[in-house]
Amino acid sequence: MRSPRAARLGLLAACACTWLLAAQGCGPGPGYGARPRTRRLTPLALRQHVPGVSETNLGASGRAEGKITRHSERFNELVCNYNPDIDFKDEEKTKADRLMTKRCKDCLNKLAIAVMNQWPGVRLRVTEAWDEDDNHPSGSLHYEGRAVDITTSDRDIKKYGLLAQLAVEAGFDWVHYESKYHVHCSVKADHSVAVEKGGCFSASGLVTVAGGLQKPMTCLQPGDTVLALSVSGEVVFSRVLLFLHLDTDSRSTFMILSTEDGQEIALTPNHLIFMSQKHKVHHHEYSACFASQVKRGDYVLVSGRDGGLRPSRIVSVSLEERTGVYAPLTEHGNLFVDGVLASSYASINDHRLAHWAFGPLRFFFGLTQLFVGQTTLTVDRQSGAVSPAVYPTYSSPSKGHMDVVHNSSGVVHSTGSCLNRHSHLQYSDSVDGTNVRVHWYARLLRTIGQMVLHPQMFYA
């Protein structure tokens, strides 16, 4: 006879599978049996580049990291592209035009499919990729295998404007309709977190925990309760369920958004933040958008000292590279980081859809409430007092690990080391013997989403 525990786990698995199938069959997007929605592509004009910044800008492909030669250690970072649907010029007969970074290869292969779909019988043609013969200016990304020059196999120059737009759609980080005879495309370095991983906050980001203390992301762990916003607009403490993305060592490009009230939040360009173009009082008038879309003069929501919520105008937007990325998922799907309200989600432009898709995970954690109790807190706006609610218990960190927390003035309230605190988090997969840095469930949802949702919903 099946044990009650096994029955509960079976029910949970069935519910999760049903939820995921519903997401594919009748959720947002075309679903089964429907044709993908088409949209009109606008060709790039000659000399136009996307995005509208220089190639080595942090918002595009990023700075050059040094020339790669056949005798350098970094040569092993390059991969050979043998895609039969791509014509490689390879006039040197050294296969140099087939050598590129993994990200460049992935984008190129996507573009090859788009070209064949757009012009049946026509294939993508690569005239230049990795350069080992010093044919480009110093600092060119061709020397690192991060850039390609492309045409179509029929060499019809009338197609190149649209070819450039297809390259943008394929995920290249910088596309330049450089000449009427070719299109230049480049990508970020493979180790850049912003390339193909989730959106995150920086390691220095502070969250508010019970008692008004602030804890850095490096010390946050599942089971902690952090300041967030409820559906009704009440400021509450929401439990951290897990980390959707966690990498203490990787460097990434962050948007630094500064408000008129002195808050400054750092998050990756593809992370969602709640914003309004005009001064609005009510929280429901703020919509989630990618951080890269926020500009000076826009308004975000910040937490007040009285436990309330108020709008604050963005006075500065900048880019900065930092080390360490953290993406905690809370029960409410949002949290205040450095006093600014942001979503727990990234890469897709619909916060509500993302929160709905993570329903099975919240359901799983909700089940644990039936068996083990832990208290979480809500905030009283008038008195600042907190009241308890029941939630599951999590084991405390190992001996020797102490929280580093700060009060609202930034003064260290208690000290200790949080190094390797997150080594206690368990991931389902590993790469090269280390923990996978993006949670498996987030990977699963992204895979499903790419099959059923329109490409425009994802961060390009």
Side-chain angles (χ1 to χ4, degrees):
M1 183 175 179
R2 184 178 298 178
S3 67
R5 178 180 176 83
R8 287 194 297 268
L9 291 176
L11 177 60
L12 172 61
C15 291
C17 291
T18 302
W19 197 297
L20 291 174
L21 289 174
Q24 297 183 64
C26 56
Y32 286 121
R35 292 178 179 272
R37 290 167 285 178
T38 59
R39 62 190 179 92
R40 185 179 182 85
L41 296 174
T42 303
L44 267 64
L46 184 63
R47 312 296 182 190
Q48 181 183 359
H49 52 79
V50 177
V53 295
S54 65
E55 182 176 25
T56 54
N57 189 285
L58 294 179
S61 294
R63 61 189 178 191
E65 299 185 343
K67 186 177 180 179
I68 296 178
T69 67
R70 290 186 183 270
H71 303 291
S72 65
E73 293 182 2
R74 293 176 58 208
F75 182 73
N76 292 329
E77 297 176 7
L78 304 182
V79 295
C80 203
N81 193 332
Y82 290 106
N83 191 333
D85 297 322
I86 302 176
D87 292 342
F88 293 90
K89 187 176 180 181
D90 195 21
E91 56 188 358
E92 300 90 353
K93 306 300 180 184
T94 61
K95 295 185 179 180
D97 290 339
R98 292 181 180 270
L99 291 173
M100 58 196 70
T101 63
K102 179 182 181 299
R103 172 160 176 76
C104 190
K105 176 183 176 181
D106 292 342
C107 292
L108 203 63
N109 289 344
K110 291 178 184 178
L111 179 57
I113 296 173
V115 167
M116 292 188 293
N117 289 337
Q118 184 69 34
W119 302 292
V122 177
R123 298 194 297 180
L124 179 64
R125 177 172 175 260
V126 175
T127 62
E128 187 78 27
W130 175 59
D131 180 12
E132 61 178 335
D133 297 324
D134 296 327
N135 292 325
H136 293 84
S138 176
S140 170
L141 299 185
H142 279 288
Y143 294 128
E144 302 176 34
R146 291 166 53 191
V148 291
D149 294 337
I150 58 174
T151 70
T152 55
S153 60
D154 60 1
R155 306 184 193 184
D156 182 356
I157 61 175
K158 295 180 180 179
K159 293 186 173 76
Y160 293 173
L162 186 54
L163 175 64
Q165 181 59 46
L166 290 175
V168 174
E169 300 288 322
F172 281 98
D173 298 301
W174 198 73
V175 178
H176 186 195
Y177 189 0
E178 189 173 39
S179 158
K180 66 179 181 179
Y181 299 112
H182 75 267
V183 175
H184 175 84
C185 312
S186 62
V187 297
K188 296 179 184 291
D190 280 352
H191 63 76
S192 174
V193 174
V195 168
E196 52 186 356
K197 299 178 180 178
C200 309
F201 304 104
S202 74
S204 61
L206 295 175
V207 294
T208 302
V209 296
L213 302 177
Q214 293 185 310
K215 177 184 287 190
M217 287 287 175
T218 52
C219 294
L220 195 63
Q221 68 170 358
D224 288 345
T225 53
V226 299
L227 207 63
L229 193 71
S230 69
V231 176
S232 62
E234 181 182 7
V235 177
V236 299
F237 281 95
S238 183
R239 183 167 53 109
V240 175
L241 303 180
L242 49 82
F243 280 84
L244 297 177
H245 185 192
L246 193 159
D247 192 333
T248 59
D249 301 318
S250 291
R251 290 186 62 80
S252 181
T253 301
F254 289 88
M255 302 286 300
I256 311 299
L257 307 179
S258 303
T259 74
E260 60 184 345
D261 296 309
Q263 292 91 350
E264 183 179 278
I265 183 173
L267 65 174
T268 51
N270 61 331
H271 203 97
L272 294 178
I273 186 170
F274 299 96
M275 179 273 291
S276 173
Q277 293 181 343
K278 298 181 180 180
H279 184 279
K280 301 291 184 181
V281 177
H282 300 291
H283 75 280
H284 58 78
E285 296 179 289
Y286 287 73
S287 57
C289 72
F290 295 125
S292 61
Q293 297 173 320
V294 178
K295 59 185 183 299
R296 289 180 59 185
D298 290 338
Y299 287 83
V300 293
L301 293 169
V302 300
S303 58
R305 292 183 180 275
D306 60 350
L309 191 68
R310 70 174 189 273
S312 187
R313 184 168 56 89
I314 296 293
V315 295
S316 173
V317 178
S318 60
L319 290 169
E320 184 178 315
E321 278 196 352
R322 296 185 180 183
T323 300
V325 289
Y326 300 80
L329 171 65
T330 68
E331 285 183 308
H332 289 81
N334 63 68
L335 68 164
F336 287 91
V337 178
D338 293 312
V340 181
L341 181 66
S343 172
S344 291
Y345 310 112
S347 298
I348 187 169
N349 64 7
D350 193 325
H351 169 83
R352 291 183 179 180
L353 176 60
H355 193 56
W356 176 85
F358 277 89
L361 268 188
R362 293 196 304 278
F363 173 72
F364 168 77
F365 283 99
L367 283 182
T368 62
Q369 297 180 37
L370 300 176
F371 308 103
V372 188
Q374 178 189 353
T375 60
T376 190
L377 308 166
T378 58
V379 179
D380 187 308
R381 295 191 183 184
Q382 300 298 323
S383 64
V386 294
S387 57
V390 176
Y391 282 110
T393 299
Y394 287 81
S395 59
S396 59
S398 62
K399 185 177 181 180
H401 293 274
M402 297 176 60
D403 288 347
V404 177
V405 291
H406 309 257
N407 62 22
S408 58
S409 301
V411 179
V412 176
H413 191 84
S414 63
T415 59
S417 173
C418 292
L419 294 176
N420 300 321
R421 176 80 170 266
H422 295 287
S423 64
H424 300 283
L425 301 180
Q426 296 299 315
Y427 293 81
S428 61
D429 301 313
S430 61
V431 177
D432 298 329
T434 60
N435 285 333
V436 169
R437 299 177 178 115
V438 179
H439 195 274
W440 67 266
Y441 190 82
R443 290 175 179 268
L444 173 63
L445 287 182
R446 182 172 179 83
T447 300
I448 295 174
Q450 289 176 329
M451 293 188 293
V452 302
L453 299 177
H454 196 282
Q456 273 191 312
M457 295 189 68
F458 293 92
Y459 182 79

